[in-house]
Amino acid sequence: MTNTKGTLYGVSVGPGDPELLTLKAVRVLREADVVAVPNIGHGRQTAYGIVEEYIQGKPLIDCSTPMLRDRTEVLRAYRGVADEIAAALDAGKSVAYVAIGDIGVYSTYFYIHEMLVEQGYSAEIVPGVTSFCASAARLGIPLCEGPEALTIVPVIAGDAKDAAMSVPGTKVFMKSGRDLGAVRTIVEESGMLDTTSLVANCGLPDEVLYPRFADVPADMSDYFTLVIAKQPR
């Protein structure tokens, strides 16, 4: 008898508030045989906390993908996770890989997704609420209006921060906790300090909002920190 392979689902779970899970995400989580939970080494399994209510009793795959500069080691970690997921899929199990925010925005999931798709496995994506959309909603501000552009910048990209400031419109600096000093300098030099805000741990119990970036403590370094810099009017 030929064994039917399972399907991998990349499930976006939003930035932190379980109520921001989509109906589709909840359905896929409830129907999945196995749940893959990312662990990037910052001490918080945030995605698991968001979906815990819907996956109780299900087998878990601990997806350890540490944030290292050594690309060879990082790819080895991805390969190990992909192999473990493949074993579950080969056994005919469906696997839901949960990821913070929207899985299409700077998610490590896609490295694993591509590895498995190249091997012939079936994979589907479930979109979700992004951290920057949720953060703007918590602040009560629009991300962009009319002809305004929206630029999303991963702070780890280095020179991208400076390049972004030359583009008109709103800038979003993601995961900027460890580099807030540099972000503040760039924003201030661009004359946008008074129109810049910060949200840390959006939707989580330790969420912090700073409508005025100038009020942010100098020692803030939360991993899930997002800065929204709007063009002065």
Side-chain angles (χ1 to χ4, degrees):
M1 181 176 177
T2 302
N3 181 48
T4 301
K5 293 182 178 181
T7 298
L8 169 64
Y9 296 90
V11 183
S12 307
V13 301
D17 183 351
E19 290 188 339
L20 294 181
L21 278 167
T22 66
L23 293 174
K24 184 170 185 177
V26 171
R27 177 182 62 78
V28 170
L29 289 168
R30 282 176 168 162
E31 294 176 355
D33 298 307
V34 179
V35 178
V37 181
N39 180 359
I40 62 175
H42 57 69
R44 299 175 68 160
Q45 288 187 310
T46 310
Y48 175 80
I50 296 171
V51 304
E52 186 175 8
E53 175 184 349
Y54 305 106
I55 62 173
Q56 292 180 3
K58 294 182 183 289
L60 303 178
I61 296 176
D62 181 17
C63 302
S64 181
T65 53
M67 304 291 282
L68 302 173
R69 293 185 182 276
D70 187 334
R71 194 63 185 163
T72 301
E73 288 299 318
V74 171
L75 290 175
R76 184 178 291 117
Y78 292 155
R79 181 75 270 166
V81 170
D83 288 346
E84 193 167 356
I85 291 175
L89 298 175
D90 287 339
K93 306 293 186 181
S94 60
V95 178
Y97 186 111
V98 294
I100 291 292
D102 180 87
I103 217 160
V105 183
Y106 302 120
S107 173
T108 57
Y109 163 81
F110 263 102
Y111 296 103
I112 296 160
H113 175 99
E114 290 169 356
M115 289 177 179
L116 291 169
V117 168
E118 287 176 0
Q119 293 177 245
Y121 292 98
S122 175
E124 298 181 19
I125 303 296
V126 179
V129 177
T130 65
S131 59
F132 47 89
C133 286
S135 293
R138 292 292 292 123
L139 291 165
I141 62 173
L143 280 170
C144 42
E145 299 176 279
E148 290 180 329
L150 175 63
T151 303
I152 312 299
V153 185
V155 169
I156 59 173
D159 292 343
K161 297 191 297 295
D162 298 293
M165 301 311 291
S166 65
V167 180
T170 302
K171 289 83 176 172
V172 171
F173 298 96
M174 298 188 65
K175 296 178 181 176
S176 54
R178 289 182 293 183
D179 207 13
L180 270 184
V183 172
R184 181 187 175 105
T185 297
I186 292 170
V187 167
E188 195 164 11
E189 290 177 348
S190 301
M192 299 174 68
L193 185 61
D194 292 337
T195 54
T196 296
S197 305
L198 178 148
V199 178
N201 305 317
C202 183
L204 297 170
D206 54 348
E207 174 187 89
V208 179
L209 306 177
Y210 286 96
R212 295 182 68 253
F213 191 42
D215 296 334
V216 175
D219 60 349
M220 175 168 278
S221 60
D222 296 68
Y223 179 78
F224 293 115
T225 295
L226 184 143
V227 175
I228 301 176
K230 292 188 64 65
Q231 201 78 36
R233 293 187 176 182

